[in-house]
Amino acid sequence: MATEEEILAEVEQLGRLSQRAEDVMYNITLRQDELGREPSNMLLSKLKEDPIYQEMIDREMITYDVYGSKAMKDSVVSLYVTLKGIRYCILFGDEIHARRKVDPAGRLKSNL
């Protein structure tokens, strides 16, 4: 389990995740928090093709479970943000939240 100091040291060495990756992870984290470890689902083929998700997987910010055979193109994966990913979101949450176009309920900020 990564501590705040370990995450900050990793960020100093490797840099932060891309803005898009931070936004995706923050959204998944909010979903997990609101729904109690509720996963976000997607196709395995999309996960493997997307460098944004690979960046988070490689840095152990998210993990996933595969449903169906890994050999099947249409296998479904459930994504979960790890405790390290959640701590990352907490550390940089103010910056990430300010970039969001929607509030946690999914309403456009311009409509508030």
Side-chain angles (χ1 to χ4, degrees), residues 42-106:
M42 66 186 309
L43 294 175
L44 179 60
S45 59
K46 298 241 185 219
L47 178 72
K48 295 294 185 183
E49 295 168 1
D50 196 331
I52 291 171
Y53 289 100
Q54 287 306 307
E55 177 184 16
M56 292 183 284
I57 291 167
D58 292 344
R59 291 177 66 174
E60 299 177 344
M61 301 284 186
I62 64 171
T63 188
Y64 63 93
D65 291 326
V66 178
Y67 296 96
S69 169
K70 288 185 180 182
M72 292 175 44
K73 184 177 179 180
D74 293 334
S75 294
V76 174
V77 296
S78 292
L79 300 172
Y80 303 93
V81 178
T82 63
L83 288 175
K84 179 180 179 182
I86 292 170
R87 285 194 171 127
Y88 181 98
C89 287
I90 291 169
L91 285 171
F92 300 107
D94 290 340
E95 296 170 45
I96 298 169
H97 182 73
R99 285 196 311 257
R100 290 175 48 92
K101 295 177 181 164
V102 297
D103 68 6

Side-chain angles (χ1 to χ4, degrees), residues 1-13 87 91:
M1 179 167 39
T3 64
E4 184 176 319
E5 293 79 22
E6 291 169 336
I7 293 169
L8 292 173
E10 180 181 305
V11 166
E12 188 174 314
Q13 180 184 9
R87 285 194 171 127
L91 285 171

